[in-house]
Amino acid sequence: HMTVSPNGAILGLFTRTGVLYALSMDLSKNMIECDTRATRRPRSIVWCGTMALLVCWDTALLMIGPTGQLQRYSFDSMFHVFPEFDCARIVTSRTCEILRRVPMVTQDIFSPRSTHEGAILYTAAVAFESKSPKADEHIRQIQNELDVAVETCIDAAVNEFDPKQQKALLMAASFGKTFVPMYSSEHYVEMCRTIRVLNAVRDAQVGMPLTFVQFKRLSVEVLVDRLIYRHQHMLA
């Protein structure tokens, strides 16, 4: 099996001996070489964004990351995988799931013991909500990088799918920007509007679970056209 990455730069190759390769398109550079020890021929291999390869059998899926690490997934029934620019969509008879790499801004905030400005601001906002005096201590710690922390929380919120987590991150951003002199809220307001749009089209009654990256590539105009085509005129 062979498959080309969405950006057209890498060739994924699965051999009959069960070895998976990721090669540059001119075949001069071997980026990944992984022995999956598979004894059965897979149905297909597809890309998950541009960072990982998925090897698909009838009810099993094997993901190989950029450094060759393996992750296995099992399903109760047959499934189909559709590659996207930044993720892969897994469709079964009952569900539609999205498999993607955790965004870097999310890792910066929620990685254990993270010292990133965004993580400290999020901790400060949680402390402020619980009326803890540590909130002031955390804010003083990142006083000179608060603008970076605010932008990180905003970007993490727009990449989230869970509305509860979106609100928590936006609250942290709103809390942090009050301490930034002459802060322009234009980006904050724009991302809040974008989140409302994404949450609306992700609703089960609409059934368009877009990521933020897909939404930006698709454009508002194309999304409106697709909603009209689906007779979702009020939402459009």
Side-chain angles (χ1 to χ4, degrees), residues 19 38 60 62 114 119 156 224 226:
V19 180
L62 180 65
S114 173
V224 168
R226 291 191 180 182

Side-chain angles (χ1 to χ4, degrees), residues 12-220:
L13 180 68
F14 190 88
T15 68
R16 63 181 178 180
T17 59
V19 180
L20 183 77
Y21 296 95
L23 309 170
S24 59
M25 289 304 292
D26 61 1
L27 307 181
S28 64
K29 185 178 180 182
N30 186 6
M31 302 171 187
I32 298 175
E33 181 177 345
C34 178
D35 186 358
T36 65
R37 299 183 181 179
T39 57
R40 292 187 298 117
R41 178 177 178 172
R43 283 192 291 123
S44 63
I45 62 170
V46 298
W47 282 93
C48 181
T50 56
M51 299 299 296
L53 277 161
L54 305 178
V55 185
C56 310
W57 288 270
D58 288 343
T59 59
L61 184 148
L62 180 65
M63 181 178 71
I64 296 90
T67 58
Q69 70 271 30
L70 302 177
Q71 179 70 44
R72 300 179 188 274
Y73 299 91
S74 297
F75 297 86
D76 296 332
S77 60
M78 187 175 286
F79 61 92
H80 296 278
V81 180
F82 301 95
E84 302 277 0
F85 181 79
D86 64 328
C87 65
R89 213 173 289 270
I90 305 170
V91 179
T92 70
S93 58
R94 294 180 297 171
T95 62
C96 174
E97 302 179 32
I98 287 178
L99 181 64
R100 64 170 180 163
R101 185 181 186 181
V102 178
M104 190 56 67
V105 286
T106 305
Q107 294 183 46
D108 289 339
I109 294 176
F110 295 112
S111 292
R113 299 180 183 177
S114 173
T115 57
H116 191 276
E117 298 89 346
I120 297 172
L121 175 57
Y122 184 81
T123 303
V126 172
F128 179 76
E129 284 293 311
S130 60
K131 296 180 170 50
S132 170
K134 286 191 175 182
D136 181 66
E137 178 184 330
H138 292 312
I139 288 295
R140 291 179 183 277
Q141 185 179 346
I142 56 170
Q143 188 68 52
N144 297 327
E145 297 87 23
L146 266 172
D147 53 341
V148 176
V150 170
E151 294 301 313
T152 301
C153 287
I154 294 172
D155 292 340
V158 82
N159 278 286
E160 277 288 338
F161 271 71
D162 180 17
K164 184 177 179 181
Q165 196 62 64
Q166 290 169 354
K167 290 179 182 179
L169 288 163
L170 288 174
M171 287 286 287
S174 178
F175 175 66
K177 68 187 181 70
T178 59
F179 298 96
V180 181
M182 305 296 292
Y183 180 84
S184 173
S185 297
E186 191 173 319
H187 180 58
Y188 179 85
V189 173
E190 180 187 353
M191 290 300 102
C192 286
R193 289 173 174 168
T194 299
I195 289 172
R196 287 185 63 194
V197 171
L198 289 172
N199 288 345
V201 299
R202 288 169 182 169
D203 186 89
Q205 299 301 317
V206 181
M208 296 177 67
L210 298 175
T211 66
F212 174 63
V213 174
Q214 291 170 1
F215 172 70
K216 296 299 287 184
R217 288 176 64 86
L218 199 64
S219 81
V220 176

